[in-house]
Amino acid sequence: MLRRTVCLKLDVPDDRRDDLHETTDRFRQAAQIAVDRAFERNDDGYVITHKTKLHHLTYEQAREATDGLNANLVQAARNLAGDAAKGVVSRWENGKRASKPEFTAPTVVYNKKALTYREDGVSLATVNGRVECDFVLPPEGENPQTEYLRGDEWELRESTLHYRSESGEYYLHTTVAKDEDVSEEAENGTVLGVDVGVENIAATSTGRFWSSGLLNHRREQYESVRAGLQQTGTESAHRTIQQLGEREQRWVDDLLHRISKDIVSEAVEHDCSRIAFEDLTDIRERMPGAKKFHAWAFRRLFDLVSYKADERGIRTVQVDPAYTSQRCSKCGHTARNNRPSQAEFRCGRCGYENHADYNAAKNVAMKHVRAGQKSPRGRANRHLALKTGTLNGNGEFSPADA
């Protein structure tokens, strides 16, 4: 089963916008009621993450407190709260800090019982009956709306309604899915390695780099403006901060879309069947200088590469990141002082020198190449994609024109 997400702008009737605003507020209220109860914990002291238990404990309270909110939306809010609580518990189990979620985003999760798709629009449940909204679609052509909505291949699933306060517009982020025969993964293939970092958001084993300079610069600009507005402390300043956040996220998302497209194109150009990233779990703790913002950007980039690569028949994997930044991709010598600076790699044994991110990207890919050699089938023959050819797990190089 393949799944994608398509963003659909809505034309909301002016006389029904308040109904959507109120529905959004009550949905967040219902989710907060559920998560607050989850963190009151069971008699055994554990946070409640089981959705059925949360349903029995909070459904009547949420229905009463959010008078008029559709029953299916109350249930969706409970599910959202359960998933959020489960995420916090997971971080605790891994020794990480996390606190009780606070639902502040102007969003509503709609399952197919709370919305109905029409050919050119959607009907949404609200606190005051249904609202009929038309889609605002681009002309037919090479865009997600044409591919996912104007054909019979994809099935429309649940959606999340987003309100953008900067523009005053509503958007549906709609999940679409289709059945596809997935053949057993071939043991052979060429692997493109991708290293992510603070200086370069991505570098590949074929020598392509995408600098983080503009991303970090824009982030610093937004943080500076936000800091000034927070000191002001007015209601207007708070609204502006929210609008800035939405604008920043859209800009970053557009940049990551373009980088992900380039990475997949690089894989296609080098005839790769797989793209290997390092495992992004706990990357903030492992990577000096990485912040929450960077961790979000890395995960978003991986997700975007994954679904774009999937459309081209390329698998995306994550590998154990241990020592990929310290290991020499030429001789295998591993030592912390092999990397004297953020950008520089210099092997203390063989003297190999190169950009540290490029060296790490080759190590990421080689980990997946060598994992193939350990396959129970015993016949794997994966290759690492390089600038000028490929390298197998035994160190044998094949030039590109061979």
Side-chain angles (χ1 to χ4, degrees), residues 1-2 179-187 273-274 310 313-315 377:
M1 179 70 70
L2 292 179
D179 291 322
E180 181 167 289
D181 293 332
V182 179
S183 59
E184 186 174 349
E185 181 180 3
E187 288 295 327
S273 60
R274 294 171 186 81
D310 198 28
I314 300 171
R315 302 291 295 272
R377 299 171 187 238

Side-chain angles (χ1 to χ4, degrees), residues 238-307:
H238 178 75
R239 286 196 302 269
T240 303
I241 289 172
Q242 185 176 10
Q243 293 169 359
L244 280 173
E246 294 170 357
R247 186 185 307 164
E248 178 187 18
Q249 185 164 344
R250 288 197 300 275
W251 183 85
V252 173
D253 210 46
D254 179 68
L255 177 65
L256 295 177
H257 265 288
R258 286 185 273 121
I259 294 173
S260 65
K261 184 177 180 180
D262 287 345
I263 290 173
V264 174
S265 295
E266 189 76 2
V268 172
E269 181 179 341
H270 288 83
D271 197 25
C272 296
S273 60
R274 294 171 186 81
I275 301 173
F277 282 72
E278 63 178 289
D279 189 335
L280 300 175
T281 304
D282 300 330
I283 195 167
R284 286 173 63 191
E285 288 76 12
R286 290 188 282 104
M287 183 182 293
K291 301 178 181 179
K292 181 178 180 180
F293 167 73
H294 293 103
W296 171 83
F298 298 150
R299 294 189 181 97
R300 179 61 174 155
L301 179 63
F302 175 80
D303 290 341
L304 291 170
V305 169
S306 295
Y307 89 73

Side-chain angles (χ1 to χ4, degrees), residues 46-244:
Y46 289 97
V47 171
I48 303 167
T49 59
H50 196 283
K51 293 174 183 176
T52 301
K53 287 184 180 179
L54 279 179
H55 175 80
H56 292 308
L57 291 170
T58 65
Y59 179 75
E60 293 300 331
Q61 178 189 358
R63 286 282 281 168
E64 183 177 349
T66 60
D67 181 35
L69 188 65
N70 180 280
N72 290 301
L73 295 182
V74 173
Q75 293 167 13
R78 176 209 65 216
N79 290 342
L80 180 65
D83 289 337
K86 192 175 296 183
V88 170
V89 171
S90 177
R91 288 191 59 80
W92 287 349
E93 291 173 345
N94 287 295
K96 309 303 175 186
R97 297 179 60 184
S99 57
K100 184 183 74 174
E102 299 290 335
F103 295 101
T104 59
T107 62
V108 182
V109 179
Y110 279 90
N111 60 30
K112 292 191 69 173
K113 294 181 179 179
L115 88 170
T116 302
Y117 294 107
R118 299 185 280 102
E119 182 177 352
D120 55 355
V122 67
S123 172
L124 301 171
T126 74
V127 294
N128 188 30
R130 291 262 173 171
V131 172
E132 304 289 332
C133 305
D134 291 333
F135 294 139
V136 181
L137 301 176
E140 291 193 30
E142 294 186 5
N143 54 66
Q145 291 82 1
T146 297
E147 179 180 358
Y148 300 141
L149 295 186
R150 290 169 166 152
D152 298 326
E153 280 189 301
W154 296 88
E155 177 190 355
L156 300 176
R157 299 284 184 90
E158 72 171 22
S159 287
T160 302
L161 180 70
H162 291 254
Y163 176 69
R164 297 181 182 176
S165 57
E166 177 186 316
S167 62
E169 302 291 352
Y170 278 97
Y171 292 81
L172 272 186
H173 290 198
T174 299
T175 300
V176 296
K178 72 173 179 178
D179 291 322
E180 181 167 289
D181 293 332
V182 179
S183 59
E184 186 174 349
E185 181 180 3
E187 288 295 327
N188 299 337
T190 302
V191 183
L192 179 73
V194 180
D195 179 69
V196 297
V198 176
E199 181 178 297
N200 292 295
I201 192 167
T204 68
S205 58
T206 53
R208 288 288 304 278
F209 291 82
W210 291 267
S211 173
S212 296
L214 180 58
L215 186 69
N216 293 332
H217 176 67
R218 290 290 291 267
R219 175 64 173 173
E220 289 170 0
Q221 286 183 319
Y222 279 113
E223 286 182 341
S224 177
V225 174
R226 268 193 292 267
L229 290 169
Q230 285 170 349
Q231 288 185 346
T232 302
T234 63
E235 183 177 345
S236 175
H238 178 75
R239 286 196 302 269
T240 303
I241 289 172
Q242 185 176 10
Q243 293 169 359
L244 280 173

Side-chain angles (χ1 to χ4, degrees), residues 11-30:
D11 182 7
V12 180
D14 289 340
D15 61 345
R16 302 303 306 274
R17 298 180 69 84
D18 287 344
D19 293 330
L20 284 183
H21 282 304
E22 185 66 24
T23 302
T24 302
D25 290 341
R26 295 190 192 180
F27 179 85
R28 288 186 296 185
Q29 183 182 3

